[in-house]
Amino acid sequence: MSASRNHLMVHDGPALRARGVTKRFGSLVAVDSVDLDVAVSEVVVMLGPSGSGKSTLLRCFNGLERLDAGVIEVAGIRLDPECDSIHDVRARVGMVFQQFNLFPHLNALENVALAPRIVRKLSKDQAMAEARQRLERVGLATKLDAYPAELSGGQQQRVAIARALAMDPQVMLFDEPTSALDPEMIGEVLAVMRDLAESGMTMIVVSHEIGFAREVAHRVIFLDEGRILESGSPDQVLSAPRHPRAKEFFDKVL
Amino acid sequence: MAHRGGSTIDFLANQGLLAVKILKFLAPAVPMTVAVTVLSFALALFLGLAVGLAQITGYRPLVLLAKGYVDVLRGIPLLVQIFFIYFGLAGFLNLERFAAGVLAIGICYSAYLAEIIRSGIESIARGQHEAAASVGMSNIQAMRYVILPQATRVIIPPAANEFIACLKDSSLVSIIGLRELTRAGREFYSQYFVDFQTWLFVGVVYLCMTLLLTRLTRHLERRFAVRGFGTSVRR
């Protein structure tokens, strides 16, 4: 925990580098030797049919899935699930889940302040003050003492984003952050994500929100059967996909 | 109950006096019942947590050892375990009656609690472990700050049942001569030969204690309840 967590930390290479990343579940190859570089402040949206391996790939990026082959580096630091430093690396990679996964026994403020207190070892007062600011930033200044079960889906997801940001991550991962939300709550979560992108956060987003991809992403990636089939600017990938699978997919969803 | 001469009023008065006499005789034995129950249950909680956690370490020898511990202890009557520890092991470790009784009940109940604690922990959704891990917590930190506080709520009701069962099973140590409530009942009977009233009041005293525990349980459940989360109880 000696290296700086500041995301302005001097590091020449990409924020995230993946080489030959492979993940199998039994005989199924979920992620098939994927190479990917994500630059600092880049926003990448990963699209693809369900079962294409995009969520699995995202989960590899913070070590929630153990790799069968390949290497992942975050800000130049190797991510190795076998090693104790995995906790250090994970602390630099924020993760937002489809089902929010807030801690139901803690209120919004405590949800955000917990990791800074016990992982970053901040004092309670400092962690709480920071958590309050983060929640204000996602528009939840009035919900600090609310428990997750008392919040709407959109509010819960915004608390989850604040919780991930509380570790000052260098990369933020979003795993279908709006898929579990009622339609009228999707906008408030996407707005927070758009703000974050504008502030220069490096983001990798698995999503079905084509509008968000078109508007916010610097790069769109299309995956199928665990492979990256298409990668380029939103315009190019969404409007003029080259690969027949991608063409077929976008014909259906657009 | 035959009226041995005299009026109904005399009979009731006599019964009242007998009740007072029995209760006065039983009262000094209550602290022993409480001490055996509380100490053996504390031991059971401690061992049960260790054995319950051992089962979910994923470290195979430890898991097998813990599962074996649970299977063996759950499969043997508590009375036999008390005999074994007090008489059977007398040659190796000559335990006092009190220590033997507490140890036997504590170990036996730890097997049940280990199962309750293990299943309580396993009932917490996978996403909670993942959320804790993804903000950089170690497994131990995740267990302490995220999983156990939630599992506690699941564990309390069945564990409270075990506590009440433990109180009742403490009567078994009367057989190795510990002067607790049941033993005191036997002594009263052998002095006065009134079996109906003696065992009725022994039962009533146990019932008072278990009802008290039931209330304590509800209080605990309320204390650990979280607003709007999986329960109608509000704090």
Side-chain angles (χ1 to χ4, degrees), chain A residues 60-83:
Chain A
C60 289
F61 292 158
N62 74 340
L64 285 181
E65 302 289 350
R66 209 162 272 202
L67 304 189
D68 289 303
V71 182
I72 291 170
E73 284 176 13
V74 175
I77 301 164
R78 170 93 183 261
L79 189 144
D80 180 0
E82 306 293 333
C83 175

Side-chain angles (χ1 to χ4, degrees), chain B residues 51-80:
Chain B
V51 175
L53 287 173
Q55 290 189 57
I56 52 167
T57 50
Y59 178 59
R60 218 171 145 63
L62 203 57
V63 172
L64 288 177
L65 199 69
K67 288 209 185 299
Y69 178 92
V70 170
D71 286 347
V72 168
L73 290 168
R74 275 202 311 191
I76 299 171
L78 175 53
L79 187 57
V80 175

